[in-house]
Amino acid sequence: MLDTPPDLSFAPVRTLAPATLTAAQIDHYNREGYLTGLRAFPPSVAEANRVTFDGLLAGLGREGAYAINCYQARAQAIWDLCTGPAILDVVEDLVGPNVICWASHFFCKLPGDPKHVPWHQDAAFWHLAPARTVTVWLAIDDADAENAAMQFIPRSHDKGALDWRASEGGVLNKELVDAERLGAPVTNALRAGEMSVHADMLAHGSAANLSDRRRCGLTIRYCPPEVRITDPVWARGIEAILCRGTDPTGHWRHHARPRGNDVSPENSPRNLGGN
């Protein structure tokens, strides 16, 4: 396992007979780099998801708003969300019948949170090759422009690795240079229980949450087993789940459904930036 330059090119989805998405949605994903407004859970389950997250966060305090990172193989409630059939039905149409979840992260912008997420491409932070991860962003709370919903720059996903520079004051330590030149952003407004999916090279970010409303979402990273981890040190914090199908590669270490919901720092997978 060597850390080699990754293939960051976009590979269009070639699903000939999607079971859940329409052909028009597949075309939109290939052209724009994302889909949004997909219903994953009915309102009653969305409310239960919020209660579950509230319980996880309660033990961590305000400083833990971004800390529930990559616990998908250590917290049963997160495992169950990552393996939800409605989510996987969509993901399977994009990555194929063999689906691996390799990371998850609750991004919780509390009211008045001054942190912004600068424009970035996810795969630029990862040690994976090729770049074939699909990210689900599941809304735990309603998200809109007022409370700093995520924004996408459409059609930025097929440009390869874009120039970046160091960033200060944000959630990430680097940002794209002059991202505005890529086009006008769109706001990924979602109701609780809805989700979006985006390609791992799509430029996206979000502003500070200056409203009096929380904005929480769960990001879930999925890929086919043919994707490989290229850095053995980085790999130590990756705890994968085989969500559907099989893994003929033997490359990934898969984990069984955990017991309990311990998201304490002491139980951290010590992820080094997988999210």
Side-chain angles (χ1 to χ4, degrees):
M1 187 186 296
L2 299 176
D3 195 4
T4 56
D7 173 8
L8 298 182
S9 62
F10 175 71
V13 175
R14 302 298 187 192
T15 306
L16 298 178
T20 300
L21 299 174
T22 66
Q25 287 173 314
I26 297 287
D27 288 344
H28 187 279
Y29 180 85
N30 285 335
R31 184 180 66 254
E32 308 293 331
Y34 71 94
L35 293 169
T36 190
L38 305 170
R39 172 57 65 178
F41 298 105
S44 60
V45 179
E47 177 59 26
N49 291 341
R50 184 184 296 111
V51 170
T52 295
F53 174 72
D54 290 347
L56 296 177
L57 184 61
L60 299 176
R62 187 177 182 89
E63 296 304 314
Y66 296 91
I68 307 177
N69 184 11
C70 288
Y71 283 83
Q72 68 279 348
R74 300 192 178 215
Q76 191 176 97
I78 301 174
W79 166 284
D80 290 345
L81 287 173
C82 294
T83 57
I87 295 176
L88 293 177
D89 287 347
V90 171
V91 173
E92 182 174 343
D93 280 348
L94 297 175
V95 308
N98 301 322
V99 181
I100 288 172
C101 166
W102 62 268
S104 63
H105 196 170
F106 279 106
F107 283 100
C108 179
K109 289 177 177 282
L110 297 175
D113 185 345
K115 297 186 183 71
H116 71 285
V117 179
W119 293 114
H120 67 284
Q121 294 171 298
D122 287 333
F125 290 85
W126 303 336
H127 297 269
L128 297 173
R132 301 290 182 268
T133 292
V134 170
T135 292
V136 166
W137 202 96
L138 173 66
I140 303 301
D141 303 321
D142 292 349
D144 51 42
E146 182 184 64
N147 67 344
M150 184 165 57
Q151 292 185 305
F152 299 132
I153 301 182
R155 307 191 183 193
S156 58
H157 62 300
D158 59 358
K159 306 296 187 291
L162 301 169
D163 293 337
W164 59 271
R165 63 191 173 203
S167 174
E168 296 182 1
V171 175
L172 305 176
N173 61 5
K174 61 184 181 180
E175 63 184 351
L176 295 178
V177 176
D178 298 328
E180 294 75 12
R181 77 186 189 283
L182 299 171
V186 297
T187 298
N188 187 36
L190 295 168
R191 301 300 298 270
E194 292 182 335
M195 69 181 191
S196 63
V197 294
H198 67 268
D200 52 9
M201 290 299 285
L202 184 74
H204 63 288
S206 62
N209 181 13
L210 303 181
S211 77
D212 59 0
R213 296 160 48 223
R214 192 183 73 179
R215 191 232 67 179
C216 179
L218 175 65
T219 61
I220 315 173
R221 319 291 190 178
Y222 297 99
C223 71
E226 291 74 20
V227 172
R228 298 182 68 84
I229 304 172
T230 61
D231 177 12
V233 175
W234 192 78
R236 294 173 190 166
I238 303 300
E239 298 184 350
I241 301 168
L242 181 62
C243 297
R244 277 192 179 170
T246 62
D247 176 5
T249 71
H251 174 69
W252 296 85
R253 293 181 297 111
H254 298 294
H255 294 71
R257 185 174 185 257
R259 296 181 178 179
N261 288 305
D262 183 1
V263 293
S264 66
E266 294 75 20
N267 194 41
S268 169
R270 309 301 176 193
N271 185 271
L272 296 176
N275 255 25

